Amino acid sequence: MRLFSDLPCPTGRRAKAVGLRRTPFATDGRALPVPSCNPRETTTIMDTAIRPAVPPDTLPGLPIETDPVALVPFAAAHLPGALSLSQEMSWPYRLEDWDFALQVGRGFALERDGAMIGTAALFPDEGALATVGMIIVSGAAQGCGYGKRLLEALLAAAGPRGILLNSTAAGRGLYERYGFKPVGTLSQHQGPYRLHRAAAPDPDGDIRPDGDIRAMGPADLAAIARLDREATGFARRPMLDRLAAAGEGVVLLRDGAPAGYAIARPFGRGHVIGPVVAGSQDEARRLIEAALAPLDGRFVRIDVPDEAQLSPWLAGIGLPLVGDALTMVRGVLPPTGPAHLFALANQSFN
């Protein structure tokens, strides 16, 4: 997830970011441009030569709001604009990915003159936690405080919830100023997958003593939600139901009961594998291999916590490391285990 730094607006950039608003009455009768970049900034026009019948909001000494940017709830009508913003940032989101996020969470949009210049999304669970992500400010509007405005809106909407996010290094300072603390890092692996690069099968056969793997079915969802809460601390059954419905899942059985799961679904340039929840690194690798099996020749992405120690193995099977992120938390998250999270649904959902 990327949040752009909120530096003071340079003089020459302010007008480009939010435009120029003209006040109708200046001292010599001409309309003068009044630049502004701060959503809370107003300009006071002191004018002793006021024409008759001046509207009340432009009387001398009264504040005039100079920022035409509105913060509004994210709605379906914003999807095309959100897609354009992510394309500007070279993010691989499809329109379907934005729509899916709107279904499992809620968010905000920044609008200026009918055009979107920013987005942010909140994904609350059924308890007292949430994740945030998909925070974008258009290049022409960066440096004007809009990133902070979006973040403050997310924090207000989250209330007392504990919040988790994944940030670039550039966003760390801003998040720390709002009480977020680093708790870990994650690695992004992706590329065209070739099945023949996968690790050789176990010499004793495809079924190992630690369990068996089969396709996920609707009857597994309650057990999957329980395992997921053990691994993440989040109560997110509605999101898991939608993730499972959007893709193909596999379940690892131990003593006949689900002990781990993985979901692969269409996302971005191809497919994303995640979440992956298991009791051990070996079980996680087996689940990922099972999820990869139908994806030969397709573009695959997987985001893994560094503590899972899967990066060298993923690179070895043909999914190179292409990026990383810093996991940060505001508030308190519950303890987790014995199941562990080995891959994220994506960096916004966790």
Side-chain angles (χ1 to χ4, degrees), residues 137-181:
V137 176
S138 70
Q142 289 177 35
C144 299
Y146 296 130
K148 288 191 288 188
R149 189 174 175 186
L150 286 165
L151 179 58
E152 289 172 357
L154 292 173
L155 296 180
R161 293 174 181 269
I163 304 173
L164 181 147
L165 59 80
N166 292 296
S167 172
T168 62
R172 175 175 180 168
L174 176 62
Y175 290 132
E176 286 181 331
R177 291 196 293 274
Y178 282 85
F180 286 87
K181 300 182 183 302

Side-chain angles (χ1 to χ4, degrees), residues 8 10 38 41 45 47 51 129 132 148-149 219 242 257 262 266 273 296 298 302 316:
N38 188 327
E41 182 180 327
I45 307 299
D47 190 347
R51 299 178 181 179
L129 305 176
V132 298
K148 288 191 288 188
R149 189 174 175 186
R242 288 188 177 274
I273 295 179
D296 186 28
R298 302 186 187 183
I302 182 167

Side-chain angles (χ1 to χ4, degrees), residues 24-312:
F25 303 111
T27 55
D28 60 359
R30 293 182 300 108
L32 298 177
V34 184
S36 178
C37 206
N38 188 327
R40 294 181 176 80
E41 182 180 327
T42 58
T43 300
T44 300
I45 307 299
M46 301 301 295
D47 190 347
T48 58
I50 300 298
R51 299 178 181 179
V54 175
D57 61 351
T58 59
L59 286 174
L62 291 181
I64 300 174
E65 183 65 46
T66 62
D67 189 355
V69 174
L71 179 72
V72 299
F74 194 105
H78 294 118
L79 291 173
L83 179 63
S84 295
L85 282 176
S86 58
Q87 290 172 340
E88 179 187 340
M89 298 298 115
S90 298
W91 289 11
Y93 292 169
R94 308 166 302 153
L95 190 67
E96 295 89 343
D97 300 325
W98 279 103
D99 185 50
F100 187 91
L102 184 60
Q103 293 177 37
V104 299
R106 60 181 186 266
F108 299 96
L110 284 175
E111 295 180 330
R112 183 181 61 203
D113 298 327
M116 281 186 65
I117 65 167
T119 65
L122 172 75
F123 305 97
D125 75 346
E126 295 183 296
L129 305 176
T131 64
V132 298
M134 306 179 86
I135 303 175
I136 305 177
V137 176
S138 70
Q142 289 177 35
C144 299
Y146 296 130
K148 288 191 288 188
R149 189 174 175 186
L150 286 165
L151 179 58
E152 289 172 357
L154 292 173
L155 296 180
R161 293 174 181 269
I163 304 173
L164 181 147
L165 59 80
N166 292 296
S167 172
T168 62
R172 175 175 180 168
L174 176 62
Y175 290 132
E176 286 181 331
R177 291 196 293 274
Y178 282 85
F180 286 87
K181 300 182 183 302
V183 296
T185 54
L186 61 85
S187 296
Q188 178 182 333
H189 290 259
Q190 65 184 40
Y193 177 69
R194 295 291 181 266
L195 188 59
H196 67 272
R197 289 183 173 178
D202 184 81
D204 296 326
D206 293 335
I207 300 177
R208 302 183 184 182
D210 59 3
D212 196 8
I213 294 176
R214 61 164 172 76
M216 181 187 298
D220 298 315
L221 291 174
I224 286 167
R226 175 184 57 79
L227 288 167
D228 188 83
R229 188 164 189 173
E230 283 183 10
T232 67
F234 283 74
R236 52 179 185 172
R237 172 68 186 270
M239 177 182 285
L240 292 170
D241 288 352
R242 288 188 177 274
L243 290 170
E248 301 292 334
V250 290
V251 176
L252 182 140
L253 302 177
R254 191 187 305 126
D255 297 326
Y261 79 93
I263 297 174
R265 63 184 176 92
F267 177 82
R269 297 171 60 186
H271 283 70
V272 63
I273 295 179
V276 176
V277 167
S280 69
Q281 187 184 92
D282 181 68
E283 290 179 343
R285 286 197 300 264
R286 295 189 60 224
L287 284 163
I288 293 170
E289 288 175 344
L292 283 169
L295 302 178
D296 186 28
R298 302 186 187 183
F299 190 92
V300 176
R301 171 175 174 170
I302 182 167
D303 297 277
V304 295
D306 286 351
E307 64 183 13
Q309 299 182 339
L310 289 176
S311 279

Side-chain angles (χ1 to χ4, degrees), residues 9-31:
C9 290
T11 302
R13 192 177 178 186
R14 176 177 295 180
K16 180 181 179 182
V18 298
L20 294 175
R21 180 170 179 174
R22 292 183 177 269
T23 179
F25 303 111
T27 55
D28 60 359
R30 293 182 300 108

